[in-house]
Amino acid sequence: MHRLALTSAVMGLFVLAGAAWLGGCSTFTCALRGLIGGVIIYLGARVALKLLASIVADTIVKAKMSQNHKAEKLNP
């Protein structure tokens, strides 16, 4: 999860810095925009991945509980 967020942030950093460079910004501005964008992407990806993991885990637990409940009803 951490590695995916970090990879996304690094790719975003280069994309944002490249877009700023193509827009004619100075080197410092390109680096600053890329760095700020990379940090924002990293934080957003971490939150989104944690949310996704909790949703998947909750769904698995609920499905397992439902199966156990059905099995208890069939085998009293």
Side-chain angles (χ1 to χ4, degrees):
M1 196 162 64
H2 174 72
R3 180 175 272 180
L4 183 60
L6 188 60
T7 302
S8 299
V10 170
M11 288 183 354
L13 181 143
F14 285 114
V15 168
L16 291 171
W21 179 71
L22 290 174
C25 295
S26 68
T27 305
F28 178 74
T29 304
C30 293
L32 189 61
R33 288 182 183 177
L35 181 63
I36 291 170
V39 168
I40 291 171
I41 291 170
Y42 175 75
L43 294 175
R46 288 287 303 238
V47 169
L49 289 170
K50 281 186 180 184
L51 183 63
L52 181 64
S54 68
I55 290 171
V56 169
D58 186 50
T59 303
I60 291 170
V61 167
K62 284 182 180 178
K64 187 67 174 171
M65 288 175 61
S66 176
Q67 283 179 345
N68 289 343
H69 190 326
K70 286 179 185 177
E72 287 176 2
K73 281 187 175 180
L74 293 176
N75 298 324

